Structure formats: C-alpha cells, structure tokens
Amino acid sequence: MRTFEYRVTPGRFVVGLILGLIFIIGAVLAIANGWGLRMFSVALSPEQSTVLYLILALLGAVILILSALVFRAGAREITVSDSGIRVPKSESSRTMLDIPYSAITRLERGQYGGTHSLVISHSGRKTKVFSPHFSSFDQYAEFVESVEGAAAQR
C-alpha cells in the first residue's frame, strides 16, 4: 500500500483570498465613486457600469468562498492498495471514497495550464485528483502510474 499527502497549499489559498478581495474592494470603490467604464471604445452608462461592477464583486465573492472551502478541507491521505484506491470525494471535501479497481471504468489524464488532473470514472460517478495538491509533481506522477498500472491488471 502506498500513501500520498493531498492538500491545498497555504500559498494557493492566499492567492485566492487576495484575488477575491481585490475584485470585491475594487467593485465597491467603483460603485461608491461612480466610476464610469469604457469597453471596446464604447462608454457604458452609469447603470451599466454598476451592473458590471456588481458582477465583478460577485465573482470576487465566489473566488473567496471557493478558496476557503478548498483550504478548509485540510490535509488528506490518498492511498493506493492492492484492492483499490482511497481518494477525496471532491477537491473541497473531507469525505473519502474507497474505489475498488473493479469499479473503475475509465482513467483520463487532463491538463489545464500547469495543473494536471486524473479523472477517475467509477460506478456512474467521476472523481478528480489534481496535481498541485500533492507534495510534488513526482508524487502526483507516481500516484497516476500506480493507479493506471493496478487498474490495467484488473
């Protein structure tokens, strides 16, 4: 059995926190000061600008909440054993799923920017595991190879 630590780094949480606050504070300042806005050489009316700023504030709140939820999940342990794998239910969940290799119907690698992921299709569900949450990319690669190798033998 092989165990891997899986957690969101404090640095990623701080980036989400700062980005969310920038959106919220910027939007509030823009609305309070009546800042106008030009988009594509077209000046928006004060009402249109306010709506756009409210959308940006909402986006900031969503970023802030999602960052907090993912960080709150804390450190978890992913295990790869002879019978199956134990992974988090979702990126923000502390609930762990035990997935036997016989239940895995598909393993799919993905990449978006510098973030790699493994999508595990099993029992009519999909669970994603993301590379930045491992202590190193080598740990992530070792996890993926272990799972793919064990699943291929079943």
Side-chain angles (χ1 to χ4, degrees), residues 108-146:
E108 182 180 351
R109 292 184 190 210
Q111 182 179 357
Y112 182 75
T115 300
H116 295 257
S117 64
L118 179 66
V119 180
I120 305 162
S121 299
H122 60 97
S123 308
R125 299 182 58 172
K126 288 185 179 183
T127 303
K128 292 182 184 178
V129 179
F130 298 94
S131 62
H133 301 323
F134 286 81
S135 58
S136 69
F137 185 79
D138 291 338
Q139 291 282 303
Y140 168 76
E142 184 181 339
F143 165 75
V144 171
E145 289 172 11
S146 298

Side-chain angles (χ1 to χ4, degrees), residues 85-90 95-99 122 125 127:
I85 58 175
R86 183 174 176 86
V87 295
K89 184 176 181 180
S90 70
T95 303
M96 301 297 286
L97 294 175
D98 291 312
I99 306 171
H122 60 97
R125 299 182 58 172
T127 303

